[in-house]
Amino acid sequence: MMDGRRITTTWVDALEPALDALVVLLVPACLYAIFRLVPTEDKMGVVQRIFYFHVPSALAGFLGVALCAVCSALYLWTRDRRYDRVAHASAELGVLFFTIVLLTGPIWARPVWGVYWTGEVRLTSTLVLWLMYVGYLLLRTSAENPEQAARWAGVLGIVGALDLPIIYKSVEWWRGLHPKVLKVSGGQGLDPAMQHAFGLCLFTFLLLFLALLIQRCRLGLLEEQVATLTQEASR
Amino acid sequence: MISLPNLSSIVSVLALTAQESISGFTAENVATRPEIVERGLRFLNYAYTAVWIVLGVYLLSLSVRLRRLSVQVRRLKERPGP
């Protein structure tokens, strides 16, 4: 067994294999639903099927950024390293899922809008958020003093999350081009078959987020262990 | 003398042409045109390939980092103390 496994808490150890297995089973189920069960959308055609991975990725990215902000605030308040570890892991996952969003979005836009990118507010604010969290990760890796890096990153994690409501409300506030599909965001809603497939994909992406978060937190714990052991060895 | 066609008939023909092309496709079912479907499939393929590449690279990097750090921790623990 790896050292990383031994140092995590028992409930996470118990949950993790089941979670991984569930994700491995659900991903093919999602693909089956997207490509075999869901009807083709009338106006956009087959390219609309990008939506089933694009929107759940965006929501997983939102979750990552929000969790990073909450844990950053808790770290700055309590100075408990565990919060900083979760904040760092969440920021990395936020960047991962928003990378998927920023790749699949323009690929969808090209055949539908005729361009890969426009200066539309939702697109621009999402890119700004992604850049801020890439900056967060660069700050974490480049800083020499880990305590100071954690403090600065904590501030950046909170400030970066202020972009979330702008992204969410941008289509409403600036009447952008970005489609409003879900009822919760003021759209007309989905066909029932589409809704089920979307629900399945969303659930799978949230489980994937959780599975990756556990692994990334384990990595953070190992990094801290290496730093502590190296310090002890050099004394 | 050449007689000019009736303006209203030209307008109605143009309106029909705009609504329905010779192949029978209308604004509502334009997404089912073979070339549009083919184009859509191409972009769909690009999108899902991008998703798998991003997720694959991240999983690979995570597993490499975990393995490397685990080995490092084991070595540091096995090192004899001062």
Side-chain angles (χ1 to χ4, degrees), chain A:
Chain A
M1 196 183 265
M2 281 163 52
D3 287 322
R5 284 188 186 280
R6 264 186 261 130
I7 52 179
T8 49
T9 50
T10 325
W11 70 270
V12 173
D13 277 340
L15 179 76
E16 198 200 338
L19 192 62
D20 292 349
L22 199 57
V23 172
V24 168
L25 286 173
L26 283 174
V27 169
C30 285
L31 292 174
Y32 183 78
I34 294 166
F35 292 104
R36 303 289 294 179
L37 301 181
V38 166
T40 302
E41 208 264 348
D42 291 341
K43 301 233 166 45
M44 286 182 261
V46 289
V47 81
Q48 183 271 343
R49 288 167 207 263
I50 291 173
F51 163 85
Y52 300 100
F53 268 31
H54 176 77
V55 179
S57 295
L59 293 173
F62 262 65
L63 181 63
V65 169
L67 192 61
C68 173
V70 170
C71 290
S72 296
L74 287 170
Y75 170 71
L76 291 174
W77 192 21
T78 62
R79 301 287 159 161
D80 186 337
R81 292 289 299 171
R82 285 178 299 177
Y83 292 124
D84 178 54
R85 203 183 303 137
V86 179
H88 190 179
S90 312
E92 195 172 290
L93 294 180
V95 169
L96 170 77
F97 285 107
F98 273 116
T99 303
I100 292 175
V101 172
L102 288 169
L103 284 171
T104 54
I107 293 172
W108 168 87
R110 182 67 183 89
V112 177
W113 289 346
V115 286
Y116 283 108
W117 192 267
T118 68
E120 212 258 355
V121 183
R122 178 165 280 184
L123 277 65
T124 311
S125 52
T126 307
L127 180 65
V128 167
L129 183 80
W130 184 82
L131 288 171
M132 275 200 276
Y133 280 86
V134 167
Y136 175 103
L137 297 179
L138 289 173
L139 177 68
R140 301 300 303 237
T141 50
S142 60
E144 284 176 14
N145 181 351
E147 283 294 325
Q148 197 181 33
R151 276 201 307 276
W152 282 107
V155 174
L156 188 58
I158 296 166
V159 172
L162 297 176
D163 196 15
L164 287 181
I166 296 173
I167 296 173
Y168 183 69
K169 284 283 181 187
S170 57
V171 183
E172 235 172 83
W173 290 343
W174 288 281
R175 297 175 188 278
L177 275 172
H178 196 281
K180 286 189 279 185
V181 180
L182 304 176
K183 274 184 182 161
V184 72
S185 57
Q188 290 184 336
L190 292 164
D191 173 276
M194 290 176 168
Q195 217 166 8
H196 292 142
F198 174 70
L200 181 69
C201 293
L202 182 60
F203 180 63
T204 307
F205 267 77
L206 293 180
L207 288 185
L208 177 67
F209 176 88
L210 194 60
L212 291 174
L213 185 70
I214 291 171
Q215 293 295 336
R216 186 57 189 80
C217 286
R218 176 169 290 146
L219 185 81
L221 202 56
L222 282 170
E223 280 169 346
E224 281 173 25
Q225 265 208 329
V226 168
T228 312
L229 288 168
T230 312
Q231 222 170 22
E232 281 172 11
S234 63
R235 269 185 209 149

